[in-house]
Amino acid sequence: MNNNLRNELGLALCESTYAYTKTNEVTRREITREWDLAGYIWNMEFLVDKIIKSNENYFSVKENRFKNGSYIHVAKIGNLIINSLKMNTDELKQHYPMHQFNPYVDLYIKLAEARYLFGMPWLAHVMSCDEVIARCDTLNGLVSELRKIGNSSKFKKKINDFERSSNKNYRELVKYIDKQFEKHSRLLVLRIDFGYLKDQCWPSNTEGAIKHDEVKLHRETLVAYMKRSLPKNSMVGFAWKLEYGLEKSYHYHMLLLLDGSIVREDITIARMIGEYWSKTITNGKGLYWNCNANKSSYKSCGIGMVSHGDSDTRKGLRKAAMYMTKTDYYIKMVTPGNGRVFGKGNMPEPKKGNIGRPRNIGKYEPSNLNRIVC
């Protein structure tokens, strides 16, 4: 994975940890502890990939000319390793209790835990010469084992297998969106996040917390409601992604594709759907975030009314599809019974005739973004 794409997905991963709270009928976003933990996973994947591909010696024993003793000389990447060992991995696992971490991250944690490396004062100011040598050997042993396993064909296959599902979901979603544009000259694109109230449904380890079966039923009820309540034939496509965290329990990201020749007023429609979710489907326990009501604050948003030939906005929509599917490269959720965490509507039937000359939308090229699309 190139660094530009890694940066974009890492930022998207962190933003996906926002929690939504509701006070006096106003929904707000909150940054939770999971922001820091997601950032740790993002940085850890980069660090381990860097270690495996390098032959550099990060730790060495040097004599202290001003004191009668020695110390551990640490290279730049070595400092990142030592900082990473300050993490409380029990907290990490607690916040992501039903997830698989990227194999790079999983390997690092397992090897470091087996050596009891987390929480050690690696660069303590007062150490005997024997302690300095022992700690340096331990750190170099971790690096050596990471490289040995990480460069094996078995591990490389594991990485490829882990990444395959997110890539597959991304390709399928982009194809699904493009097929809709082959059939419709313009689409009204809605982006809504659906979750649950903090005081009633999360944290997810409290009594009465929302359960997976109930969340699944809520989503199925929501899709059925939209199909029957929106103007006839206006709902042409949808996609959803289920996520979970200790601090905000289950929540959905949903992308809705409506026929732009039939409907407009995206903010109003998204609000109507969100209110039905929060008040009726969840019996007052739910809340929602209307991205369309906030699209002016997003760079390269890709939602609202999108025309067939609007290449820039369609590229923004592809970015939204990427953020919706490819963050699984870092953390992959595993539901009870291996249920689905991503879904979309059926592929549309090809339209008879031609809606116009083919247009080159162009391939999405990742870049460093300061803001994530909604």
Side-chain angles (χ1 to χ4, degrees):
M1 180 186 295
N2 66 61
N3 287 337
N4 285 341
L5 180 56
R6 177 182 275 115
N7 287 341
E8 288 193 15
L9 293 184
L11 288 170
L13 174 68
C14 290
E15 286 227 348
S16 72
T17 66
Y18 278 130
Y20 299 109
T21 59
K22 195 172 185 179
T23 306
N24 297 325
E25 298 303 312
V26 177
T27 301
R28 294 181 175 86
R29 296 199 298 184
E30 283 188 356
I31 294 179
T32 69
R33 172 59 174 156
E34 286 172 20
W35 175 287
D36 297 323
L37 298 175
Y40 176 83
I41 293 169
W42 169 22
N43 290 324
M44 176 64 68
E45 183 275 341
F46 170 80
L47 173 61
V48 178
D49 181 47
K50 191 83 172 177
I51 292 171
I52 290 172
K53 292 178 180 177
S54 171
N55 293 318
E56 183 182 353
N57 183 23
Y58 303 134
F59 306 100
S60 57
V61 176
K62 301 287 185 180
E63 291 186 6
N64 192 328
R65 292 182 299 171
F66 304 101
K67 295 181 180 180
N68 185 20
S70 57
Y71 66 96
I72 301 176
H73 178 266
V74 185
K76 182 178 180 180
I77 297 296
N79 279 315
L80 296 179
I81 293 173
I82 289 174
N83 286 333
S84 73
L85 294 173
K86 298 175 183 178
M87 168 57 63
N88 182 341
T89 54
D90 289 337
E91 182 189 15
L92 187 68
K93 295 170 185 176
Q94 183 185 26
H95 276 74
Y96 295 104
M98 54 173 66
H99 297 77
Q100 293 178 349
F101 298 132
N102 178 284
Y104 285 131
V105 178
D106 188 57
L107 175 65
Y108 187 92
I109 291 175
K110 287 180 178 178
L111 292 180
E113 283 184 338
R115 292 166 169 78
Y116 305 100
L117 304 186
F118 286 105
M120 289 285 290
W122 288 103
L123 299 182
H125 292 293
V126 179
M127 288 189 292
S128 68
C129 183
D130 289 342
E131 285 179 309
V132 169
I133 294 172
R135 292 191 181 188
C136 187
D137 288 345
T138 299
L139 291 168
N140 283 327
L142 172 65
V143 171
S144 177
E145 190 71 6
L146 283 170
R147 288 171 176 163
K148 178 181 176 181
I149 297 176
N151 285 304
S152 67
S153 57
K154 182 178 180 180
F155 185 82
K156 290 177 180 178
K157 182 180 184 302
K158 191 174 184 179
I159 284 287
N160 291 334
D161 290 344
F162 192 86
E163 191 175 3
R164 184 176 297 117
S165 63
S166 63
N167 288 338
K168 177 177 178 289
N169 288 338
Y170 171 68
R171 288 193 301 268
E172 288 185 352
L173 182 53
V174 168
K175 180 179 179 181
Y176 180 67
I177 293 170
D178 288 346
K179 287 293 182 182
Q180 299 292 356
F181 277 109
E182 289 180 8
K183 194 171 183 179
H184 304 280
S185 61
R186 60 184 183 273
L187 294 175
L188 189 68
V189 181
L190 310 183
R191 177 73 169 81
I192 314 172
D193 293 342
F194 300 96
Y196 298 90
L197 291 171
K198 178 177 182 178
D199 58 348
Q200 297 189 47
C201 301
W202 55 276
S204 57
N205 61 350
T206 57
E207 184 178 354
I210 201 78
K211 301 296 189 295
H212 176 259
D213 288 345
E214 190 175 0
V215 172
K216 179 182 177 184
L217 179 60
H218 287 166
R219 185 249 306 161
E220 293 171 346
T221 305
L222 178 66
V223 172
Y225 161 75
M226 292 187 295
K227 288 181 177 179
R228 71 171 183 269
S229 300
L230 292 171
K232 186 177 180 180
N233 298 325
S234 64
M235 183 174 168
V236 299
F238 66 92
W240 55 267
K241 173 74 178 299
L242 177 64
E243 294 182 352
Y244 177 94
L246 176 67
E247 292 196 49
K248 60 178 181 176
S249 189
Y250 292 100
H251 51 283
Y252 283 106
H253 302 290
M254 188 167 286
L255 190 70
L256 303 176
L257 307 175
L258 309 180
D259 188 337
S261 66
I262 299 176
V263 293
R264 51 185 65 240
E265 301 294 338
D266 57 318
I267 297 174
T268 302
I269 295 174
R271 183 184 302 118
M272 176 193 75
I273 295 169
E275 291 296 312
Y276 192 80
W277 164 273
S278 61
K279 296 178 179 178
T280 304
I281 293 178
T282 64
N283 294 318
K285 295 181 180 180
L287 47 68
Y288 69 97
W289 182 259
N290 184 349
C291 287
N292 290 67
N294 298 277
K295 59 177 175 283
S296 62
S297 64
Y298 295 99
K299 181 179 180 179
S300 187
C301 192
I303 59 176
M305 190 67 76
V306 183
S307 299
H308 181 284
D310 187 347
S311 60
D312 289 339
T313 309
R314 285 184 65 177
K315 287 178 183 177
L317 180 53
R318 288 188 179 187
K319 290 181 185 180
M322 185 184 74
Y323 296 145
M324 193 172 181
T325 55
K326 289 179 76 73
T327 53
D328 280 354
Y329 172 75
Y330 289 102
I331 309 173
K332 187 177 296 183
M333 179 179 166
V334 181
T335 61
N338 287 323
R340 291 192 303 161
V341 297
F342 172 78
K344 56 181 178 53
N346 295 325
M347 194 68 71
E349 295 291 332
K351 181 177 180 179
K352 296 180 181 180
N354 192 357
I355 63 173
R357 66 180 179 83
R359 297 167 175 83
N360 181 17
I361 302 304
K363 182 180 179 181
Y364 165 59
E365 297 293 342
S367 60
N368 285 314
L369 298 181
N370 294 322
R371 193 181 296 275
I372 298 299
V373 302
C374 60

